[in-house]
Amino acid sequence: MDGTQIPRHVAVIMDGNGRWAKKRLLPRGAGHRAGMERMIALSEHAFDRGVQYCTLFALSTENLLRPKEELDGLFSLFRSYFQKNVLRLKEKKITLRVIGDLSLLPSDIETLVKCGEAETAGGGRGTLTLAIGYGGRQDILAAVNRAVREGKEVTAESFAHLLYTDGIPDPDLLIRTGKELRLSNFLLWQCAYTELYFTEKYFPDFSDKEFDKALEAYASRERRYGKVGK
Ligand code: IPE
Ligand code: IPE
Ligand code: MG
């Protein structure tokens, strides 16, 4: 694959954990555990392929309305993820960022996130962004309200600085696993000109090889940004 055609920023909607588990007659939590393992391995693979920014949708604002039992299981998985992986990311010089409304999450998760971000800050190899308690509309509304409070008119450029993703370029490629063909409130502003790739694979089955297929599909796209093509 030609190195110049590697997307600088890949975003992934990690969907299908529950259905992966159901197919195996396992509880949904087993699907989330398998998804978490895959998430760790996949993000390393993405950076090995030359991706510089990898943004993973792990939990939406709307997901916070799921049953308490499922959410408690997910929060336990996040806790163990942060504890196990922050040092590893630091060693690999990958900066961890978390986007979303952390006040919606248990307070110890907020503390773990802040420590993880501080611990990995300045890693030069890439940025791994986890979207937790994130909603695209909420992101846009918070930015609008901030601009209104500050009494400032915004441009597309200055508005981008008010979003959670400030400092992160827009995604070049967005992958959604798990069969659905929708954005489910992810990075709505940021994906204006992002290339979209949908796969039927449930996230725990979305292997490194499947990720490479998405990179290949991206390499054959012509990005026109509204202009006339070649
Ligand atoms: C994605 O898997 C992970 C989260 C949203 C937390 P789902 O839990 O949505 O899995 P399905 O879509 O029910 O299979
Ligand atoms: C999108 O998946 C959110 C994440 C993967 C974190 P959902 O399972 O919440 O999306 P819908 O409900 O199918 O649109
Ligand atoms: Mg789902």
Side-chain angles (χ1 to χ4, degrees):
M1 204 180 295
D2 179 350
T4 58
Q5 289 168 326
I6 294 286
R8 185 174 175 216
H9 181 182
V10 179
V12 186
I13 300 177
M14 306 186 293
D15 194 26
N17 293 348
R19 282 163 287 158
W20 180 92
K22 193 173 178 188
K23 210 171 90 182
R24 287 164 178 75
L25 306 177
L26 293 168
R28 291 179 61 83
H32 292 315
R33 181 170 294 280
M36 189 68 80
E37 300 289 336
R38 187 80 277 275
M39 176 179 97
I40 294 161
L42 184 71
S43 53
E44 292 202 0
H45 177 69
F47 291 113
D48 286 345
R49 282 282 180 262
V51 169
Q52 293 168 46
Y53 295 86
C54 185
T55 301
L56 305 174
F57 200 11
L59 192 72
S60 70
T61 16
E62 292 74 24
N63 292 150
L64 291 165
L65 300 170
R66 289 190 182 187
K68 184 177 178 316
E69 196 194 338
E70 177 162 347
L71 290 174
D72 286 347
L74 278 166
F75 293 136
S76 298
L77 282 170
F78 287 139
R79 286 183 188 100
S80 63
Y81 167 83
F82 282 108
Q83 266 142 14
K84 273 196 231 143
N85 289 286
V86 165
L87 284 179
R88 196 185 166 111
L89 291 173
K90 191 179 175 181
E91 272 164 27
K92 292 191 175 274
K93 301 209 179 325
I94 293 167
T95 302
L96 176 69
R97 281 239 340 231
V98 175
I99 57 171
D101 185 350
L102 297 179
S103 74
L104 301 174
L105 310 176
S107 58
D108 68 306
I109 300 248
E110 186 166 357
T111 312
L112 279 175
V113 163
K114 296 275 175 239
C115 292
E117 287 181 323
E119 194 75 40
T120 59
R125 187 155 165 244
T127 300
L128 175 65
T129 304
L130 285 185
I132 313 177
Y134 177 84
R137 284 185 168 179
Q138 292 81 349
D139 192 3
I140 292 167
L141 286 174
V144 168
N145 285 325
R146 211 172 120 191
V148 168
R149 272 197 308 275
E150 291 171 2
K152 280 188 197 144
E153 219 171 277
V154 286
T155 62
E157 214 183 331
S158 70
F159 188 69
H161 290 301
L162 299 176
L163 296 167
Y164 282 121
T165 45
D166 180 26
I168 300 174
D170 288 343
D172 298 295
L173 172 65
L174 172 77
I175 299 170
R176 181 173 185 142
T177 67
K179 293 195 175 127
E180 313 302 351
L181 307 177
R182 53 182 174 250
L183 293 180
S184 302
N185 203 15
F186 190 43
L187 300 178
L188 299 179
W189 170 275
Q190 297 87 339
C191 284
Y193 268 102
T194 299
E195 295 296 325
L196 307 179
Y197 180 90
F198 296 97
T199 165
E200 300 219 329
K201 294 278 176 197
Y202 296 137
F203 186 69
D205 289 332
F206 185 63
S207 62
D208 292 352
K209 211 171 138 200
E210 291 294 329
F211 180 83
D212 289 347
K213 275 196 213 166
L215 292 185
E216 267 169 44
Y218 174 82
S220 68
R221 306 272 178 99
E222 186 195 359
R223 302 186 73 184
R224 289 193 288 278
Y225 300 96
K227 302 193 176 107
V228 176
K230 279 181 210 146

